[in-house]
Amino acid sequence: ELKEAYCDWFDWAKNTEEIAEVKSRLEAFYRKVEKANIPAFSRAIQTFKNWQVEILNSFGFKYSNGFLEGINN
């Protein structure tokens, strides 16, 4: 259920320009994960929170550094 909730959020988020709503729905997802109290999901959510600005920027700006990251790896 949590995986599907994340997929639903992501699919919606990549097709909208409403960044405030993207953030709001992401925070709603965080609450679902915290309520479920599943350690693996909780650790993943902490990573999301640590990188939240960058994650939200990826929806607001359609640029990618994937090519450069690939070169670095």
Side-chain angles (χ1 to χ4, degrees):
E1 183 179 328
L2 290 174
K3 177 193 69 85
E4 291 302 318
Y6 171 78
C7 290
D8 290 343
W9 168 81
F10 184 82
D11 289 341
W12 175 84
K14 67 183 179 182
N15 293 308
T16 188
E17 295 182 12
E18 301 175 40
I19 299 304
E21 184 65 19
V22 170
K23 181 180 179 182
S24 176
R25 292 185 186 199
L26 180 58
E27 290 170 345
F29 176 67
Y30 293 164
R31 289 189 294 276
K32 282 185 180 183
V33 170
E34 289 164 356
K35 186 176 180 181
N37 198 30
I38 298 172
F41 271 95
S42 296
R43 285 190 302 275
I45 289 307
Q46 187 56 52
T47 301
F48 273 55
K49 288 179 179 180
N50 291 343
W51 290 93
Q52 182 168 299
V53 170
E54 292 81 3
I55 290 168
L56 293 175
N57 282 343
S58 75
F59 293 104
F61 303 99
K62 302 301 179 190
Y63 303 107
S64 172
N65 70 341
F67 178 76
L68 291 176
E69 290 291 335
I71 290 172
N72 289 333
N73 287 324

